[in-house]
Amino acid sequence: MKYPRENDVGKIEYKLILSNVTEQRLQELASQMKFRLEEGGGEAIYVVGVSDDGEVIGLDMQSLNNTITSLEKIASMINAVIAHKRVVEVKKTRYVGEVLVRLHKAEVPLEINLAVMGHVNAGKSTVTGSLILGKLDDGNGSLRSMIARYLHEVISGRTSSITMRILGFNDKGEITNHQCRDPMDEAEVTIRSSKVLRLIDLGGHERYLRTTLKGLMGYETDYVMLVVGGDDGLSIMGREHLAVASVLKYPIFIVITKVDKYPKEKINAIEEDIKNVMKIPGINRLVMEVQDDNDLLTAILGLKTGRVVPIFKISNVSGMNVDLLTRFLYLLPPRKSYGRSGEPLVYIDEVYNVTGTGPVVLGSVIRGVMKENDIVYLGPLNDGNFIQVRVKSIQVNRVFVDKVREGSIATFAVQGVQKEIIRKGMILIKDKKPKAVNEFKAKVIVLHHPTTIREGYVATLHMYTIRQAVRFERIQNKFLRSGESSEVEMRFLYKPEYIENGQIFVFREGRTRGLGIVSSIDSSNSA
């Protein structure tokens, strides 16, 4: 029996024996294990009792156990664990061990989801880059380019996708990203942090509005950071983002950027414009400028009421007030009321096929606690049915965890299903009798519509990660105009979806914007 020769790269490492390991050698082995984990995306396989050229020599049981114990000690030094081990007898009283090592964090850090919104070129990605990288911008978008997700975003300077980056803090309020070899390494930042802010950078151009709505609705947003450029001020799209965030009742704070480039009078005029917009019925909020550390606690307390909107004036080039904004973000409290009743519910957003693992889904935990090895239902399929699957493993920010609770965004490796039948908008739920519906009733309000909405009207609905066309089958008031509300019976046009009473959604069509809340689900219309 012989293994292939050990490769210097990859996630597989051979170890013949580890005995009487010195402290210096432990540190060297820990660095080696960390490299193997990085190569394996958070997992590494150690084969004990095998030489580097792949020759199977085997160890007696005592030596094998001692070597595995040493590996456990090494793993604990880099926040990893021995997830699985298998012992095989290769000769009489000679054994080989196969050990699976995983990056692991017993407790997920406190998580807060922060949607970064605003008009195109307002500086959203630059603010995100400044916070995460700990650097100043050159005035030409160097930070934006460093955190862009796609090549065309680097070239155009516009964010067209949902870019999620994490900003970690330790117990002293220091940003842990700045202490990492790679500030955007999600796994290392998570392991080093006691609190993590997930910055959900959303597109600002009107053509990307559907992507922006998906990011706002699909990720259990806690707060909205509206970025306003010191050049253009609060533009039409900035006002639209502000209106949507307001009607959805999100706590909002505003960051005015590029204050180093323009006169103080211009920046003050932008602030006055913001104050006037905040007085509009439907928004009706109060503005306070945060000037120094003495204002931080007042801003936090005001933000929690839902009526106060703190404003920061910063420069990503000179660094003005970036530290003040950082301290404010560290003080942001979680909004979620953990322990919401009901079985665990996850809305799926992305689907992957990982070699050696199988189907993996990214989703937001809407309520409850989802655990490794849970047996759950996945669906609805196109015919409205659900299938039973097992949650093989869970990762948060590329770190394996035993469980996730509501508010978390995590990836789940699922067993018992093919990737091809999974789609965005599906759910994972422990309820044994989940039902998908084609029709439902909702209380809707039209925020803006140029003419009149009548029965038969079709719009696109956004609810969590569901995005599908719906038809207004029956309107209680027969028709709707801007600012009016009514009870409406709605029907999904293409496939059934899983929804629940009380869930909030946004609908849009061209320049039309509206908000709704599910009031009744007719079980007779279940798929």
Side-chain angles (χ1 to χ4, degrees):
M1 182 179 177
K2 187 176 175 68
Y3 285 86
R5 184 176 180 80
E6 182 185 79
N7 198 327
D8 290 337
V9 296
K11 69 176 185 179
I12 299 176
E13 174 73 26
Y14 298 158
K15 281 284 173 275
L16 180 56
I17 187 171
L18 295 174
S19 61
N20 301 320
V21 184
T22 64
E23 186 61 33
Q24 181 179 346
R25 179 60 177 153
L26 278 175
Q27 294 296 335
E28 293 170 352
L29 291 169
S31 298
Q32 182 187 62
M33 183 177 286
K34 190 170 184 179
F35 169 76
R36 293 296 188 185
L37 287 166
E38 288 175 352
E39 288 287 287
E43 283 189 344
I45 296 173
Y46 275 67
V47 185
V48 179
V50 176
S51 65
D52 288 349
D53 63 2
E55 183 182 353
V56 176
I57 297 173
L59 302 174
D60 61 73
M61 187 57 74
Q62 181 68 38
S63 298
L64 181 68
N65 286 335
N66 289 342
T67 301
I68 292 176
T69 299
S70 296
L71 289 176
E72 289 175 339
K73 184 175 181 180
I74 295 164
S76 68
M77 294 167 65
I78 56 171
N79 291 291
V81 295
I82 304 298
H84 179 74
K85 54 189 174 184
R86 185 172 78 103
V87 176
V88 179
E89 187 174 17
V90 291
K91 305 171 188 174
K92 189 173 182 180
T93 69
R94 308 294 285 184
Y95 302 89
V96 165
E98 295 176 349
V99 178
L100 175 64
V101 183
R102 278 182 178 170
L103 274 179
H104 183 274
K105 194 169 178 70
E107 286 295 326
V108 178
L110 182 66
E111 291 183 294
I112 293 176
N113 296 328
L114 176 64
V116 185
M117 305 182 73
H119 179 60
V120 63
N121 298 328
K124 300 182 297 299
S125 299
T126 304
V127 172
T128 301
S130 177
L131 292 168
I132 288 175
L133 302 175
K135 298 178 180 179
L136 296 177
D137 192 51
D138 62 358
N140 294 312
S142 62
L143 295 181
R144 179 195 64 225
S145 300
M146 293 174 74
I147 68 163
R149 188 175 178 186
Y150 297 112
L151 175 62
H152 71 265
E153 293 179 346
V154 175
I155 296 171
S156 70
R158 290 178 176 176
T159 301
S160 61
S161 61
I162 298 171
T163 303
M164 287 192 284
R165 302 293 184 193
I166 66 169
L167 180 69
F169 293 94
N170 61 21
D171 290 329
K172 297 178 182 179
E174 300 166 337
I175 296 178
T176 54
N177 303 63
H178 305 168
Q179 304 162 15
C180 299
R181 181 183 61 186
D182 178 0
M184 291 188 288
D185 184 339
E186 295 180 351
E188 187 173 0
V189 172
T190 300
I191 286 171
R192 287 174 176 263
S193 304
S194 58
K195 179 178 183 177
V196 166
L197 265 73
R198 184 175 284 101
L199 303 179
I200 308 170
D201 188 1
L202 305 175
H205 198 280
E206 184 176 1
R207 76 176 68 171
Y208 307 130
L209 181 62
R210 66 176 187 176
T211 303
T212 300
L213 288 174
K214 171 196 163 189
L216 189 63
M217 301 292 292
Y219 293 117
E220 283 289 88
T221 300
D222 293 305
Y223 298 93
V224 169
M225 178 169 76
L226 183 71
V227 181
V228 177
D231 44 4
D232 296 329
L234 190 60
S235 63
I236 293 174
M237 279 309 296
R239 290 168 189 255
E240 180 138 355
H241 288 176
L242 176 61
V244 170
S246 297
V247 297
L248 290 172
K249 305 297 184 186
Y250 289 123
I252 302 167
F253 62 95
I254 294 175
V255 176
I256 301 176
T257 61
K258 310 176 187 179
V259 298
D260 59 307
K261 292 179 63 177
Y262 300 97
K264 187 175 181 181
E265 293 75 21
K266 179 177 175 64
I267 303 300
N268 289 339
I270 291 173
E271 185 177 0
E272 283 301 315
D273 184 36
I274 292 171
K275 288 180 180 178
N276 292 331
V277 172
M278 289 295 175
K279 296 175 183 177
I280 295 173
I283 297 180
N284 190 26
R285 301 197 186 193
L286 305 172
V287 171
M288 71 163 287
E289 182 182 348
V290 181
Q291 297 181 326
D292 53 40
D293 286 352
N294 295 325
D295 295 329
L296 288 178
L297 184 57
T298 304
I300 293 289
L301 294 174
L303 189 66
K304 288 184 69 176
T305 66
R307 284 289 319 280
V308 177
V309 177
I311 289 185
F312 295 82
K313 299 175 182 177
I314 73 166
S315 168
N316 294 304
V317 175
S318 69
M320 173 184 167
N321 286 338
V322 173
D323 286 343
L324 183 65
L325 176 62
T326 300
R327 289 191 289 275
F328 174 78
L329 294 176
Y330 172 65
L331 293 173
L332 278 179
R335 288 182 62 229
K336 307 174 190 72
S337 54
Y338 295 115
R340 199 184 305 175
S341 61
E343 294 287 357
L345 173 63
V346 176
Y347 272 91
I348 294 171
D349 182 44
E350 301 285 352
V351 186
Y352 313 98
N353 195 28
V354 179
T355 303
T357 301
V360 174
V361 299
L362 168 73
S364 298
V365 185
I366 306 305
R367 65 164 183 259
V369 177
M370 189 72 78
K371 300 177 182 177
E372 187 178 29
N373 292 317
D374 273 353
I375 303 299
V376 298
Y377 288 87
L378 181 146
L381 307 179
N382 288 342
D383 61 3
N385 289 322
F386 290 76
I387 58 175
Q388 202 173 65
V389 299
R390 182 174 74 89
V391 178
K392 291 198 299 183
S393 60
I394 305 172
Q395 282 192 5
V396 173
N397 303 329
R398 303 181 188 273
V399 178
F400 285 95
V401 296
D402 297 326
K403 60 185 178 181
V404 285
R405 59 188 178 186
E406 60 190 80
S408 295
I409 300 172
T411 51
F412 304 85
V414 291
Q415 184 180 48
V417 64
Q418 297 296 315
K419 172 184 177 288
E420 290 70 27
I421 70 171
I422 308 175
R423 61 173 174 83
K424 296 180 182 181
M426 282 185 169
I427 64 163
L428 295 173
I429 191 170
K430 284 187 95 173
D431 187 348
K432 293 182 179 179
K433 293 183 179 180
K435 290 183 179 180
V437 297
N438 289 304
E439 295 185 5
F440 62 96
K441 292 180 181 178
K443 181 76 171 180
V444 304
I445 180 170
V446 180
L447 304 177
H448 175 76
H449 185 67
T451 57
T452 302
I453 293 177
R454 293 183 171 84
E455 293 176 351
Y457 173 75
V458 174
T460 302
L461 174 144
H462 295 261
M463 180 191 295
Y464 294 114
T465 57
I466 295 171
R467 187 172 72 197
Q468 189 181 160
V470 292
R471 182 166 52 236
F472 288 44
E473 298 282 14
R474 280 170 289 279
I475 302 174
Q476 190 177 68
N477 295 350
K478 299 304 179 185
F479 54 83
L480 284 166
R481 299 186 182 93
S482 288
E484 295 182 348
S485 63
S486 177
E487 188 86 10
V488 178
E489 292 183 24
M490 310 179 91
R491 182 177 183 84
F492 290 112
L493 287 188
Y494 301 110
K495 59 179 80 72
E497 302 283 6
Y498 180 86
I499 61 176
E500 296 180 344
N501 285 334
Q503 289 181 336
I504 296 173
F505 60 88
V506 171
F507 63 89
R508 64 173 182 85
E509 184 266 327
R511 294 294 302 166
T512 301
R513 306 287 183 267
L515 182 73
I517 181 168
V518 179
S519 58
S520 175
I521 297 172
D522 189 350
S523 58
S524 64
N525 285 316
S526 298

